[in-house]
Amino acid sequence: MKCLIADDEPLILKDIHRTAKNVLGEETDFYLASDSDEALKYVENEHNTGFDIQIALLDIEMPYISGLEVAKKIQKISPHTNIIFVTGHGKYALDVLEMYVSGFIMKPVNEKSMSKAIENLRIPIPKLTVRCFGRFEVFFGEEPVNFKRTQCKEVFAYLIDKRGTLVSEDELRYLLWSEDKDTEKKKRYVRNIISDIRVALKALGVDDVIINNNKTFYGINKNKFGCDLYDYLEGKKKISDEEKMTYMEQFPWAEL
């Protein structure tokens, strides 16, 4: 997720950033702007890459161009960006209402007001989620993620099963070919699978899901996606005994 924060007061900008980080999580990419021009530059640059900023937290009373005018420009450049005004002046409420933005937060900002605004965004933000119980599947929003190679999904599932532990290329080769003789071609194929997974996720605007060490060990960044397995292990989700029996059911190694 990408979030722009624009405020011309450095201490307030820092405070909003800290609050937003607590609400949105460390995995969010933040862009901090101290004036309108800088804010619009961030929006244009990200839009040109094909991955719009999803949330813009804008102060209204900024020098040169007001936050209201900045919001209008953002709506033209990046229509899918959720705009939330952050202001110390309630007199702008009617102007904000007429712009049909996602929210209006009064300063000083706190996590409760920030969370409420984020929970009621006008434009829902698609998220990467993984389903482990039942047939293993990866979703972005409501749509399944399509991988270039059929074995990408199994390798991704295996890394998720390891819950962040680094896995060697040798282990991944054994996963795919068991006792078959190791070859340079298989080594390259494993790296191509990892590359294809990264490319497929990056095309959705999700980076750094797979981490690696010295290019021969791979792991998963658990902060980058939602997962029913991790929610269950952390006590956030209940899974019945019947559901547990279906854990990644298409992969024989997952029965263990």
Side-chain angles (χ1 to χ4, degrees):
M1 186 187 300
K2 298 180 179 181
C3 177
L4 166 69
I5 305 174
D7 199 297
D8 62 311
E9 294 287 344
L11 291 179
I12 294 177
L13 181 63
K14 184 178 180 180
D15 184 58
I16 296 173
H17 180 210
R18 181 173 57 250
T19 304
K21 189 185 294 185
N22 290 339
V23 172
L24 296 174
E26 294 284 346
E27 68 274 16
T28 301
D29 294 324
F30 288 98
Y31 303 81
L32 307 184
S34 57
D35 59 54
S36 304
D37 288 341
E38 192 176 12
L40 289 172
K41 189 176 293 183
Y42 279 133
V43 173
E44 288 175 347
N45 288 344
E46 294 307 306
H47 179 71
N48 289 337
T49 68
F51 303 113
D52 289 332
I53 289 173
Q54 290 118 335
I55 299 173
L57 300 167
L58 305 178
D59 181 25
I60 292 181
E61 291 194 340
M62 289 193 290
Y64 310 119
I65 305 175
S66 74
L68 295 171
E69 291 303 314
V70 172
K72 291 176 183 177
K73 292 178 182 291
I74 290 176
Q75 287 175 330
K76 289 181 180 179
I77 298 169
S78 178
H80 292 96
T81 295
N82 288 282
I83 295 170
I84 299 174
F85 285 113
V86 183
T87 182
H89 304 279
K91 63 183 180 181
Y92 294 109
L94 182 58
D95 294 320
V96 169
L97 192 63
E98 291 176 346
M99 292 184 66
Y100 299 98
V101 296
S102 285
F104 182 84
I105 303 175
M106 292 294 295
K107 296 176 181 177
V109 177
N110 57 55
E111 289 186 25
K112 183 177 180 181
S113 60
M114 178 79 71
S115 296
K116 188 173 182 180
I118 299 299
E119 288 169 4
N120 292 280
L121 296 175
R122 289 188 68 247
I123 305 165
I125 300 173
K127 295 181 179 180
L128 187 70
T129 57
V130 172
R131 184 184 67 203
C132 295
F133 295 99
R135 290 188 65 81
F136 176 83
E137 191 60 82
V138 186
F139 296 93
F140 186 68
E142 301 295 325
E143 298 296 322
V145 176
N146 293 317
F147 295 104
K148 182 178 178 181
R149 304 168 197 258
T150 56
Q151 288 169 311
C152 286
K153 188 179 287 187
E154 183 170 10
V155 169
F156 194 36
Y158 191 76
L159 293 176
I160 286 170
D161 179 74
K162 295 303 179 183
R163 308 172 209 167
T165 301
L166 291 177
V167 176
S168 69
E169 284 186 352
D170 289 336
E171 189 171 344
L172 293 177
R173 289 197 296 273
Y174 184 83
L175 169 75
L176 297 175
W177 295 289
S178 190
E179 299 292 345
D180 287 356
K181 185 179 179 180
D182 191 18
T183 64
E184 282 298 320
K185 184 177 180 180
K186 290 176 183 175
K187 292 178 182 179
R188 290 195 301 271
Y189 191 77
V190 167
R191 291 167 193 163
N192 288 338
I193 287 174
I194 295 294
S195 176
D196 288 343
I197 295 171
R198 284 174 166 155
V199 168
L201 299 180
K202 188 172 183 178
L204 301 172
V206 186
D207 277 329
D208 303 324
V209 175
I210 294 180
I211 56 178
N212 66 288
N213 180 20
N214 296 328
K215 297 184 179 181
T216 58
F217 287 82
Y218 303 95
I220 213 80
N221 185 345
K222 298 193 295 182
N223 294 322
K224 288 290 184 175
F225 56 92
C227 177
D228 57 355
L229 169 64
Y230 300 160
D231 286 345
Y232 164 67
L233 294 174
E234 293 172 11
K236 298 176 182 177
K237 182 181 179 68
K238 292 184 178 180
I239 300 293
S240 68
D241 290 339
E242 185 176 352
E243 287 176 302
K244 291 175 187 175
M245 296 295 291
T246 68
Y247 178 71
M248 296 188 182
E249 60 185 7
Q250 72 264 52
F251 304 128
W253 52 262
E255 292 179 12
L256 296 175

